[in-house]
C-alpha cells in the first residue's frame, strides 16, 4: 500500500494515532506487546516513518534565518561563520538565504516567514528604503546587521554595526594625512545605504581638507571583484587623475588593484589603495591591504545576543554602534 500515513497504520492496527506516534518516536510509555504489534503492522504494510518532516519541525522550533544580500560579498561569507557559531552557543540553528545584491530583502523575508516560520531573522546588508516601506509586515524579532540607520524605528528591529559615514571619513582622512589630494572613490549606487553613507563620509573628509571632489573621480561598482575591475578601467579610460583610491569594501579594493596592475600601474608607488571591512584576505594579499576593519566577531555576537533576548525574554529592540579600526598595510604610501 503506497503513501501510507500514521492514520492508516492506526486504522489497520486498531490503535490511536498518538500511540503510533509514540512507537515511531520510541517513547517508553507504550506497552511492549502494543509496540510489537504496531511495529509488525508497519513492517507488513511497508510503512517507513517520515522522520525528515519530524526533524524539520524540531529544527524550525529553534531556527534563525540569515538573509544575506549579495551572493559574492566575501565580508558576509566570513561573517556567516561567526553568526553560525554564535547561534549554536545559544542552542539555535541558522538557515542561510542568499539574495542578489539588487533583490528586495523584505519581500524575500515575508516569503521565508510563510514557508519556514523561524523564531527570528538577521539581515546582512539591506536597503533602508525597503525596510521603511515593508518591514512592518515582518512580525518576528529581527536584527539588521552591519547597517545602522537613524531612519528606522521598529519595535522588533535591532541594529548592530559601525558608523559608515565616520569610518569612511577616517579612511579618506588617512589618505590625506599621507599627502594625497587627488583621491578617487569606488563604491555602490545611491540605492545602497552603506554606499551613500561612505560616500558622504569620504566627501566630508575632503571638504574639511579643502579638497574639491569631482564626480569624475567616482567609480560605480557592486561589491564584487569583477565589477570593481571594470569600474577602475572606466576611470582610467576617461583619464581620471588620482594618486589614491578609497574602495568601499576590501573586495572592491582587491578588484581595483588587479585593474591598476593590469594597466601597468604600481600599488602603492603609483596609486595608493585603502579598503573597508577587514576581510581575512586583506592580510594575505600582495600588497597587504590598508583597510578599515569592522569588528565582525563582536558585531555577530552582539547581533545574536540581541535577537535571543528579543525571542526568549521579549526585550526591546536596541541599536549598537561599534568602533572600527585602521589596519595599516602596504597598499598606501605617503607622497
Amino acid at each position: 500500500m503506497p503513501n501510507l500515513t500514521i492514520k492508516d497504520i492506526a486504522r489497520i492496527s486498531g490503535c490511536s494515532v498518538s500511540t503510533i506516534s509514540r512507537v515511531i518516536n520510541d517513547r517508553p510509555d507504550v506497552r511492549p506487546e502494543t509496540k510489537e504489534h504496531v511495529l509488525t503492522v508497519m513492517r507488513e504494510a511497508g510503512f517507513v516513518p517520515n522522520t525528515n518532516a519530524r526533524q524539520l519541525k524540531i529544527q524550525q522550533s529553534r531556527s534563525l534565518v540569515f538573509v544575506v544580500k549579495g551572493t559574492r560579498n566575501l565580508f558576509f561569507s566570513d561573517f556567516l561563520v561567526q553568526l553560525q557559531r554564535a547561534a549554536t552557543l545559544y542552542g539555535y540553528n541558522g538557515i542561510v538565504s542568499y539574495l542578489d545584491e539588487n533583490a528586495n530583502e523584505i519581500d524575500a523575508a515575508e516569503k521565508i516567514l510563510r514557508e519556514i516560520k523561524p523564531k527570528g531573522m538577521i539581515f546582512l546588508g539591506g536597503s533602508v528604503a525597503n525596510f521603511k516601506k515593508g518591514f512592518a509586515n515582518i512580525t518576528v524579532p529581527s536584527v539588521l546587521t552591519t547597517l545602522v540607520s537613524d531612519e528606522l524605528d521598529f519595535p522588533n528591529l535591532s541594529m548592530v554595526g559601525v558608523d559608515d559615514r565616520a569610518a569612511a571619513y577616517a579612511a579618506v582622512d588617512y589618505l590625506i594625512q599621507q599627502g594625497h589630494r587627488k583621491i578617487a572613490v569606488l563604491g555602490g549606487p545611491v540605492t545602497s545605504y552603506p554606499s551613500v553613507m561612505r560616500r558622504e563620509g569620504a566627501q566630508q573628509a575632503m571638504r574639511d581638507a579643502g579638497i574639491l571632489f569631482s564626480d569624475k573621480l567616482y567609480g560605480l561598482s557592486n561589491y564584487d571583484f569583477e565589477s570593481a575591475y571594470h569600474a577602475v578601467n572606466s576611470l582610467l579610460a576617461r583619464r581620471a587623475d588620482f594618486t589614491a583610491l578609497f574602495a568601499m569594501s576590501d573586495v572592491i579594493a582587491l578588484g581595483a588593484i588587479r585593474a591598476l596592475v593590469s594597466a601597468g600601474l604600481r600599488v602603492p608607488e603609483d596609486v595608493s589603495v585603502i579598503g573597508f571591512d577587514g576581510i581575512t584576505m586583506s592580510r594575505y594579499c600582495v600588497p597587504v591591504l590598508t583597510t578599515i576593519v569592522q569588528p565582525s566577531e563582536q558585531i555577530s555576537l552582539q547581533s545574536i545576543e540581541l535577537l535571543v533576548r528579543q525571542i526568549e525574554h521579549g526585550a526591546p529592540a536596541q541599536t549598537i554602534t561599534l568602533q572600527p579600526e585602521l589596519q595599516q598595510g602596504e597598499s598606501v604610501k605617503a607622497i
Side-chain angles (χ1 to χ4, degrees), residues 281-326:
M281 190 183 295
S282 70
R283 301 192 297 275
Y284 296 97
C285 60
V286 179
V288 174
L289 189 63
T290 298
T291 185
I292 299 295
V293 180
Q294 296 201 56
S296 58
E297 186 172 353
Q298 191 178 358
I299 293 173
S300 61
L301 186 57
Q302 292 268 28
S303 296
I304 294 293
E305 285 181 351
L306 287 179
L307 190 58
V308 171
R309 285 183 203 151
Q310 290 181 76
I311 293 170
E312 298 184 356
H313 306 291
Q318 295 183 50
T319 295
I320 297 177
T321 304
L322 300 170
Q323 293 299 316
E325 294 183 0
L326 175 68

Side-chain angles (χ1 to χ4, degrees), residues 126 128 147-151 164 190-198:
V128 170
L147 193 160
V148 174
S149 170
D150 56 11
E151 296 180 34
D164 284 297
V190 294
T191 53
S192 166
Y193 184 83
S195 297
V196 171
M197 294 298 101
R198 293 173 193 180

Side-chain angles (χ1 to χ4, degrees), residues 237-280:
R238 61 177 184 255
R239 300 185 183 279
D241 184 18
F242 55 95
T243 64
L245 185 149
F246 165 53
M248 291 187 187
S249 79
D250 291 344
V251 168
I252 292 176
L254 296 175
I257 289 173
R258 179 68 261 173
L260 292 168
V261 172
S262 295
L265 297 169
R266 299 167 299 166
V267 177
E269 291 82 2
D270 299 319
V271 178
S272 290
V273 177
I274 188 169
F276 196 112
D277 283 338
I279 63 174
T280 301

Side-chain angles (χ1 to χ4, degrees), residues 69 100-103 126-129 147 185-200 218-224 227 231 248 252:
K69 193 168 182 180
D100 183 77
E101 197 168 308
N102 298 314
S127 161
V128 170
L147 193 160
V185 176
L186 212 60
V190 294
T191 53
S192 166
Y193 184 83
S195 297
V196 171
M197 294 298 101
R198 293 173 193 180
R199 177 168 179 165
E200 288 183 4
Y218 189 83
L220 190 61
S221 171
N222 290 330
Y223 287 78
D224 63 73
S227 182
M248 291 187 187
I252 292 176

Side-chain angles (χ1 to χ4, degrees), residues 113-145:
L113 280 177
R114 290 193 299 268
E115 295 178 352
I116 299 179
K117 297 179 174 59
K119 288 293 186 180
M121 308 185 82
I122 288 182
F123 295 85
L124 273 71
S127 161
V128 170
N130 288 344
F131 272 80
K132 288 169 69 175
K133 182 178 179 180
F135 185 79
N137 296 325
I138 306 300
T139 55
V140 298
S142 302
V143 179
L144 179 52
T145 296

Side-chain angles (χ1 to χ4, degrees), residues 5-18 20 38 41:
T5 68
I6 63 172
K7 288 183 179 179
D8 295 319
I9 298 301
R11 176 177 50 79
I12 296 169
S13 67
C15 298
S16 67
V17 171
S18 61
I20 306 302
V38 170
V41 170

Side-chain angles (χ1 to χ4, degrees), residues 6 10 16-27 29-30 38 42 54:
I6 63 172
S16 67
V17 171
S18 61
T19 297
I20 306 302
S21 178
R22 288 199 297 273
V23 171
I24 290 172
N25 289 287
D26 198 23
R27 293 273 297 274
D29 54 345
V30 182
V38 170
M42 288 170 57
R54 179 163 52 89

